[in-house]
DNA sequence: CAGTGTTAGATTGGATACAATATCCTGGCA
DNA sequence: TGCCAGGATATTGTATCCAATCTAACACTG
């Protein structure tokens, strides 16, 4: 069996409201990879993808190159592209990047946060409380974080942050499996929001760094054990 | 285990000569953009580039998509790609990212730095002393920083750091114009190296953050004034 | 039977030609 | 002047074709 079934569903659902075919293909594949709909290591055959998407090979190749630049696919010359592998060290890598970027984003954003932003973050926490589906949970978590960082006004920084929040989502089901993620994470979310509300930048930065760091550490340990076993 | 480590080194050094045409085009264009050989805002016409490189349009398009993913080019549907603009806010953006990432990279790398690494960093500082050419200066500066971060062992993080060191190079000639860059920066390099040599992680992290931050601040102020004038 | 050619098939990488489409520019017209 | 129709231009996407090369299976050799 190859890339598909699941992917075909995503293709069907994806809205044709993209500027170009290549971007439509890229966005759809990216989502499929990030959500795990296409497993790591899966070959991404051009002809097959072209047929699945109902397009020619060229936009597919452009999309694959973009995925490569985002570290979501790997190219092996004359052997084609495969979905980038996941690993304990990769998870640690992403965790380190998040621990570096997110406190900075928060620092830049905090002074400009509005009461509306804080209220929205509050709502997102509440929504997460009742959420069991990992995919939906990942999205809510991402929106919570991005809401707090959103006023930073540094588009490149924010794009990187979001990209790595998304990258972290590839590990979401392991995150859940690593146990205890949900409730402790929610406590940390609340503490973080409280610090933001109080305008305590130093505390907020520390909390977000710990929040990300602890999750990454748990996850990495879990994956290491899994790889060893 | 077999055909020894020595061979592995030779293989690794038997340098890539690009794997594909698309990668050759991408690397060349990237360098041209980063060094300023192609000015911001310049249209990147496919046909023209294809002819210049002596290739067809297909690898050119793949290369352009990769440049887009690296924020070095912007696509405007049906109007083509242009070299990404530079601005004071963009410089500040890159500065913020570097201030976040580089201390983290240094923290992870410092414990594993060898005396060879430190000696090489020393040499690079000495080389920079006698250097007047901005392009060469940028390369030496980049190598100095990457030498210190190189043992971090987090490939994604290091790739991001290098990418933004390169991105900063787009602003190099303004960096020089903003004055005082060279001598003060060299003092900071020496102080940073000393802290690394002493194994004082906290100080090293602080120094690198200040080093990056001050340069970015000066540069941003210079560009703001220039944009206003 | 391990190890080494050899060959066939599949897939990518790239070139070329052409059709479709969106943007910009310009010139005529109210 | 203002505007709008339409052509020039460029990009976007499709359809083929071909060369390079990777994989795998098989045959050969010692």
């Amino acid at each position: 069996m190859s890339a598909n079934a699941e992917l075909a569903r995503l293709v069907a659902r994806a809205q044709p409201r993209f500027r170009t075919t290549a971007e439509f293909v890229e966005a759809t594949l990216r989502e499929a990879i990030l959500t795990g709909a296409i497993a790591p290591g899966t070959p991404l055959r051009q002809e097959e993808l072209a047929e699945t998407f109902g397009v020619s090979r060229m936009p597919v190749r452009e999309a694959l190159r973009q995925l490569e630049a985002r570290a979501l696919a790997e190219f092996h010359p004359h052997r084609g592209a495969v979905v980038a592998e996941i690993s304990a060290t990769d998870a640690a890598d992403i965790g380190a990047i998040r621990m570096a970027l997110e406190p900075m984003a928060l620092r830049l954003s905090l002074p400009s946060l509005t009461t509306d932003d804080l209220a929205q973050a509050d709502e997102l926490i509440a929504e997460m409380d009742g959420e069991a589906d990992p995919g939906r949970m990942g999205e809510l978590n991402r929106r919570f974080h991005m809401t707090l960082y959103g006023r930073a006004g540094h588009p490149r920084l924010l794009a990187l942050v979001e990209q790595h929040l998304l990258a972290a989502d590839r590990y979401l089901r392991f995150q859940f499996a690593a146990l205890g993620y949900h409730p402790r994470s929610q406590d940390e979310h609340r503490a973080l929001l409280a610090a933001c509300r109080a305008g305590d930048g130093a505390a907020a930065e520390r909390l977000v760094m710990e929040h990300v760091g602890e999750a990454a550490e748990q996850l990495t340990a879990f994956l290491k054990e899994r790889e060893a076993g």
Side-chain angles (χ1 to χ4, degrees), chain A:
Chain A
M1 140 129 160
S2 45
N4 290 314
E6 183 76 16
L7 178 57
R9 286 223 311 271
L10 285 175
V11 172
R13 202 179 318 160
Q15 312 209 350
R17 281 305 164 229
F18 287 94
R19 303 187 304 171
T20 67
T21 306
E23 289 179 12
F24 157 66
V25 173
E26 197 267 344
T28 309
L29 279 178
R30 186 173 58 202
E31 172 152 359
I33 293 172
L34 289 170
T35 61
I38 315 184
T42 307
L44 296 165
R45 268 181 267 285
Q46 300 174 6
E47 199 77 49
E48 186 179 317
L49 291 173
E51 195 174 352
T52 306
F53 282 94
V55 301
S56 70
R57 265 174 59 201
M58 185 178 298
V60 170
R61 280 165 67 165
E62 289 180 37
L64 290 178
R65 286 291 179 188
Q66 287 183 290
L67 293 174
E68 183 196 24
R70 293 186 207 283
L72 291 177
E74 295 167 10
F75 268 77
H76 304 279
H78 291 101
R79 287 193 294 156
V82 300
V83 177
E85 297 286 352
I86 64 178
S87 68
T89 59
D90 187 55
D93 206 337
I94 293 169
I97 292 170
R98 290 188 57 195
M99 284 177 70
L101 292 179
E102 297 193 24
M104 174 63 79
L106 187 57
R107 177 188 305 183
L108 294 169
S109 177
L110 190 54
S112 311
L113 279 180
T114 66
T115 53
D116 265 15
D117 295 329
L118 295 167
Q120 195 178 335
D122 213 20
E123 258 181 57
L124 286 165
I125 291 179
E127 270 190 77
M128 279 191 271
D129 269 333
E131 191 56 60
D133 174 60
R136 180 104 183 94
M137 178 71 188
E139 191 195 322
L140 291 171
N141 180 61
R142 213 159 54 235
R143 281 170 53 197
F144 170 75
H145 280 267
M146 291 308 292
T147 300
L148 295 184
Y149 310 147
R151 303 288 173 184
H154 286 53
R156 285 176 102 116
L157 174 62
L158 286 186
L160 276 185
V161 168
E162 183 154 39
Q163 188 177 324
H164 288 88
L165 275 165
L166 281 162
D169 272 12
R170 291 192 79 192
Y171 294 92
L172 207 56
R173 61 205 171 95
F174 299 110
Q175 195 77 268
F176 272 85
L179 199 63
Y181 170 68
H182 200 262
R184 193 196 297 186
S185 177
Q186 282 291 77
D187 288 346
E188 291 171 3
H189 282 159
R190 275 180 238 277
L192 172 57
L193 181 54
C196 291
R197 195 163 262 141
D200 187 344
E205 281 183 52
R206 185 175 47 73
L207 285 169
V208 76
M209 186 181 281
E210 286 173 6
H211 171 58
V212 171
E214 279 173 26
E217 206 168 321
Q218 272 185 36
L219 172 61
T220 304
F222 177 82
L223 289 171
K224 260 205 189 97
E225 184 138 348
R226 188 167 164 278
E227 285 171 12

PDB file of all heavy atoms in Angstrom, chain A residues 137-155:
ATOM      1  N   MET A 137      -6.753  18.914  19.540  1.00  0.00           N
ATOM      2  CA  MET A 137      -5.987  19.408  20.686  1.00  0.00           C
ATOM      3  C   MET A 137      -4.735  20.160  20.224  1.00  0.00           C
ATOM      4  O   MET A 137      -4.423  21.237  20.738  1.00  0.00           O
ATOM      5  CB  MET A 137      -5.574  18.215  21.551  1.00  0.00           C
ATOM      6  CG  MET A 137      -4.743  18.557  22.758  1.00  0.00           C
ATOM      7  SD  MET A 137      -5.710  19.405  24.023  1.00  0.00           S
ATOM      8  CE  MET A 137      -4.367  19.847  25.139  1.00  0.00           C
ATOM      9  N   GLY A 138      -4.054  19.607  19.252  1.00  0.00           N
ATOM     10  CA  GLY A 138      -2.861  20.256  18.723  1.00  0.00           C
ATOM     11  C   GLY A 138      -3.182  21.617  18.152  1.00  0.00           C
ATOM     12  O   GLY A 138      -2.460  22.594  18.385  1.00  0.00           O
ATOM     13  N   GLU A 139      -4.293  21.689  17.441  1.00  0.00           N
ATOM     14  CA  GLU A 139      -4.665  22.967  16.847  1.00  0.00           C
ATOM     15  C   GLU A 139      -4.988  23.998  17.923  1.00  0.00           C
ATOM     16  O   GLU A 139      -4.561  25.153  17.843  1.00  0.00           O
ATOM     17  CB  GLU A 139      -5.871  22.770  15.927  1.00  0.00           C
ATOM     18  CG  GLU A 139      -6.153  23.995  15.078  1.00  0.00           C
ATOM     19  CD  GLU A 139      -7.534  23.953  14.450  1.00  0.00           C
ATOM     20  OE1 GLU A 139      -7.965  22.865  14.043  1.00  0.00           O
ATOM     21  OE2 GLU A 139      -8.174  25.024  14.385  1.00  0.00           O
ATOM     22  N   LEU A 140      -5.731  23.580  18.925  1.00  0.00           N
ATOM     23  CA  LEU A 140      -6.088  24.515  19.997  1.00  0.00           C
ATOM     24  C   LEU A 140      -4.842  24.997  20.736  1.00  0.00           C
ATOM     25  O   LEU A 140      -4.690  26.186  21.037  1.00  0.00           O
ATOM     26  CB  LEU A 140      -7.050  23.837  20.982  1.00  0.00           C
ATOM     27  CG  LEU A 140      -8.447  23.541  20.425  1.00  0.00           C
ATOM     28  CD1 LEU A 140      -9.239  22.667  21.400  1.00  0.00           C
ATOM     29  CD2 LEU A 140      -9.200  24.837  20.141  1.00  0.00           C
ATOM     30  N   ASN A 141      -3.955  24.056  21.015  1.00  0.00           N
ATOM     31  CA  ASN A 141      -2.710  24.404  21.694  1.00  0.00           C
ATOM     32  C   ASN A 141      -1.903  25.411  20.873  1.00  0.00           C
ATOM     33  O   ASN A 141      -1.391  26.395  21.391  1.00  0.00           O
ATOM     34  CB  ASN A 141      -1.881  23.132  21.912  1.00  0.00           C
ATOM     35  CG  ASN A 141      -0.564  23.429  22.606  1.00  0.00           C
ATOM     36  OD1 ASN A 141      -0.535  23.928  23.724  1.00  0.00           O
ATOM     37  ND2 ASN A 141       0.534  23.150  21.925  1.00  0.00           N
ATOM     38  N   ARG A 142      -1.867  25.153  19.572  1.00  0.00           N
ATOM     39  CA  ARG A 142      -1.137  26.058  18.681  1.00  0.00           C
ATOM     40  C   ARG A 142      -1.766  27.446  18.698  1.00  0.00           C
ATOM     41  O   ARG A 142      -1.070  28.457  18.787  1.00  0.00           O
ATOM     42  CB  ARG A 142      -1.187  25.472  17.268  1.00  0.00           C
ATOM     43  CG  ARG A 142       0.020  25.753  16.438  1.00  0.00           C
ATOM     44  CD  ARG A 142       0.134  24.767  15.298  1.00  0.00           C
ATOM     45  NE  ARG A 142      -1.049  24.688  14.482  1.00  0.00           N
ATOM     46  CZ  ARG A 142      -1.699  23.571  14.226  1.00  0.00           C
ATOM     47  NH1 ARG A 142      -1.300  22.422  14.731  1.00  0.00           N
ATOM     48  NH2 ARG A 142      -2.777  23.576  13.465  1.00  0.00           N
ATOM     49  N   ARG A 143      -3.074  27.473  18.636  1.00  0.00           N
ATOM     50  CA  ARG A 143      -3.742  28.783  18.620  1.00  0.00           C
ATOM     51  C   ARG A 143      -3.548  29.512  19.937  1.00  0.00           C
ATOM     52  O   ARG A 143      -3.410  30.738  19.971  1.00  0.00           O
ATOM     53  CB  ARG A 143      -5.229  28.606  18.301  1.00  0.00           C
ATOM     54  CG  ARG A 143      -5.455  28.409  16.814  1.00  0.00           C
ATOM     55  CD  ARG A 143      -6.875  28.002  16.492  1.00  0.00           C
ATOM     56  NE  ARG A 143      -7.879  28.881  17.056  1.00  0.00           N
ATOM     57  CZ  ARG A 143      -9.152  28.567  17.196  1.00  0.00           C
ATOM     58  NH1 ARG A 143      -9.575  27.387  16.796  1.00  0.00           N
ATOM     59  NH2 ARG A 143     -10.000  29.417  17.721  1.00  0.00           N
ATOM     60  N   PHE A 144      -3.544  28.764  21.037  1.00  0.00           N
ATOM     61  CA  PHE A 144      -3.301  29.378  22.343  1.00  0.00           C
ATOM     62  C   PHE A 144      -1.940  30.071  22.357  1.00  0.00           C
ATOM     63  O   PHE A 144      -1.819  31.250  22.691  1.00  0.00           O
ATOM     64  CB  PHE A 144      -3.370  28.323  23.450  1.00  0.00           C
ATOM     65  CG  PHE A 144      -2.893  28.810  24.792  1.00  0.00           C
ATOM     66  CD1 PHE A 144      -3.689  29.651  25.559  1.00  0.00           C
ATOM     67  CD2 PHE A 144      -1.641  28.445  25.274  1.00  0.00           C
ATOM     68  CE1 PHE A 144      -3.245  30.114  26.797  1.00  0.00           C
ATOM     69  CE2 PHE A 144      -1.197  28.899  26.504  1.00  0.00           C
ATOM     70  CZ  PHE A 144      -1.996  29.727  27.265  1.00  0.00           C
ATOM     71  N   HIS A 145      -0.931  29.315  21.960  1.00  0.00           N
ATOM     72  CA  HIS A 145       0.414  29.894  21.960  1.00  0.00           C
ATOM     73  C   HIS A 145       0.508  31.083  21.004  1.00  0.00           C
ATOM     74  O   HIS A 145       1.027  32.145  21.360  1.00  0.00           O
ATOM     75  CB  HIS A 145       1.446  28.819  21.584  1.00  0.00           C
ATOM     76  CG  HIS A 145       1.803  27.916  22.724  1.00  0.00           C
ATOM     77  ND1 HIS A 145       2.866  28.143  23.548  1.00  0.00           N
ATOM     78  CD2 HIS A 145       1.216  26.788  23.193  1.00  0.00           C
ATOM     79  CE1 HIS A 145       2.931  27.200  24.467  1.00  0.00           C
ATOM     80  NE2 HIS A 145       1.938  26.347  24.272  1.00  0.00           N
ATOM     81  N   MET A 146      -0.010  30.903  19.810  1.00  0.00           N
ATOM     82  CA  MET A 146       0.117  31.983  18.823  1.00  0.00           C
ATOM     83  C   MET A 146      -0.673  33.225  19.241  1.00  0.00           C
ATOM     84  O   MET A 146      -0.298  34.341  18.895  1.00  0.00           O
ATOM     85  CB  MET A 146      -0.339  31.491  17.445  1.00  0.00           C
ATOM     86  CG  MET A 146       0.585  30.455  16.803  1.00  0.00           C
ATOM     87  SD  MET A 146       2.329  30.925  16.718  1.00  0.00           S
ATOM     88  CE  MET A 146       2.287  32.277  15.533  1.00  0.00           C
ATOM     89  N   THR A 147      -1.740  33.018  19.976  1.00  0.00           N
ATOM     90  CA  THR A 147      -2.487  34.174  20.472  1.00  0.00           C
ATOM     91  C   THR A 147      -1.610  35.022  21.396  1.00  0.00           C
ATOM     92  O   THR A 147      -1.609  36.254  21.321  1.00  0.00           O
ATOM     93  CB  THR A 147      -3.742  33.714  21.247  1.00  0.00           C
ATOM     94  OG1 THR A 147      -4.570  32.961  20.364  1.00  0.00           O
ATOM     95  CG2 THR A 147      -4.526  34.905  21.789  1.00  0.00           C
ATOM     96  N   LEU A 148      -0.855  34.350  22.227  1.00  0.00           N
ATOM     97  CA  LEU A 148       0.009  35.082  23.160  1.00  0.00           C
ATOM     98  C   LEU A 148       1.190  35.755  22.446  1.00  0.00           C
ATOM     99  O   LEU A 148       1.677  36.799  22.885  1.00  0.00           O
ATOM    100  CB  LEU A 148       0.536  34.150  24.252  1.00  0.00           C
ATOM    101  CG  LEU A 148      -0.520  33.577  25.198  1.00  0.00           C
ATOM    102  CD1 LEU A 148       0.146  32.753  26.292  1.00  0.00           C
ATOM    103  CD2 LEU A 148      -1.365  34.693  25.826  1.00  0.00           C
ATOM    104  N   TYR A 149       1.639  35.141  21.353  1.00  0.00           N
ATOM    105  CA  TYR A 149       2.811  35.689  20.664  1.00  0.00           C
ATOM    106  C   TYR A 149       2.419  36.673  19.563  1.00  0.00           C
ATOM    107  O   TYR A 149       3.260  37.396  19.032  1.00  0.00           O
ATOM    108  CB  TYR A 149       3.641  34.572  20.014  1.00  0.00           C
ATOM    109  CG  TYR A 149       3.974  33.408  20.910  1.00  0.00           C
ATOM    110  CD1 TYR A 149       4.076  32.117  20.397  1.00  0.00           C
ATOM    111  CD2 TYR A 149       4.194  33.589  22.278  1.00  0.00           C
ATOM    112  CE1 TYR A 149       4.385  31.040  21.220  1.00  0.00           C
ATOM    113  CE2 TYR A 149       4.488  32.515  23.099  1.00  0.00           C
ATOM    114  CZ  TYR A 149       4.577  31.242  22.565  1.00  0.00           C
ATOM    115  OH  TYR A 149       4.877  30.173  23.367  1.00  0.00           O
ATOM    116  N   GLY A 150       1.158  36.672  19.215  1.00  0.00           N
ATOM    117  CA  GLY A 150       0.705  37.305  17.976  1.00  0.00           C
ATOM    118  C   GLY A 150       0.995  38.785  17.836  1.00  0.00           C
ATOM    119  O   GLY A 150       1.006  39.321  16.728  1.00  0.00           O
ATOM    120  N   ARG A 151       1.194  39.473  18.961  1.00  0.00           N
ATOM    121  CA  ARG A 151       1.416  40.922  18.875  1.00  0.00           C
ATOM    122  C   ARG A 151       2.892  41.277  18.771  1.00  0.00           C
ATOM    123  O   ARG A 151       3.257  42.450  18.879  1.00  0.00           O
ATOM    124  CB  ARG A 151       0.823  41.607  20.109  1.00  0.00           C
ATOM    125  CG  ARG A 151      -0.649  41.356  20.336  1.00  0.00           C
ATOM    126  CD  ARG A 151      -1.499  42.082  19.321  1.00  0.00           C
ATOM    127  NE  ARG A 151      -2.906  41.695  19.460  1.00  0.00           N
ATOM    128  CZ  ARG A 151      -3.860  42.123  18.647  1.00  0.00           C
ATOM    129  NH1 ARG A 151      -3.557  42.922  17.644  1.00  0.00           N
ATOM    130  NH2 ARG A 151      -5.095  41.719  18.814  1.00  0.00           N
ATOM    131  N   ALA A 152       3.729  40.271  18.604  1.00  0.00           N
ATOM    132  CA  ALA A 152       5.173  40.524  18.566  1.00  0.00           C
ATOM    133  C   ALA A 152       5.557  41.390  17.368  1.00  0.00           C
ATOM    134  O   ALA A 152       6.516  42.154  17.424  1.00  0.00           O
ATOM    135  CB  ALA A 152       5.950  39.211  18.526  1.00  0.00           C
ATOM    136  N   GLY A 153       4.799  41.264  16.288  1.00  0.00           N
ATOM    137  CA  GLY A 153       5.047  42.116  15.147  1.00  0.00           C
ATOM    138  C   GLY A 153       6.303  41.783  14.359  1.00  0.00           C
ATOM    139  O   GLY A 153       6.714  42.553  13.517  1.00  0.00           O
ATOM    140  N   HIS A 154       6.905  40.651  14.619  1.00  0.00           N
ATOM    141  CA  HIS A 154       8.060  40.212  13.838  1.00  0.00           C
ATOM    142  C   HIS A 154       7.634  39.028  12.987  1.00  0.00           C
ATOM    143  O   HIS A 154       7.674  37.884  13.444  1.00  0.00           O
ATOM    144  CB  HIS A 154       9.212  39.796  14.757  1.00  0.00           C
ATOM    145  CG  HIS A 154       9.919  40.942  15.407  1.00  0.00           C
ATOM    146  ND1 HIS A 154       9.258  41.909  16.115  1.00  0.00           N
ATOM    147  CD2 HIS A 154      11.232  41.282  15.446  1.00  0.00           C
ATOM    148  CE1 HIS A 154      10.148  42.790  16.575  1.00  0.00           C
ATOM    149  NE2 HIS A 154      11.345  42.433  16.177  1.00  0.00           N
ATOM    150  N   PRO A 155       7.241  39.293  11.755  1.00  0.00           N
ATOM    151  CA  PRO A 155       6.628  38.229  10.954  1.00  0.00           C
ATOM    152  C   PRO A 155       7.523  37.006  10.745  1.00  0.00           C
ATOM    153  O   PRO A 155       7.030  35.878  10.774  1.00  0.00           O
ATOM    154  CB  PRO A 155       6.324  38.917   9.615  1.00  0.00           C
ATOM    155  CG  PRO A 155       7.056  40.211   9.636  1.00  0.00           C
ATOM    156  CD  PRO A 155       7.278  40.583  11.054  1.00  0.00           C
TER     157      PRO A 155
END
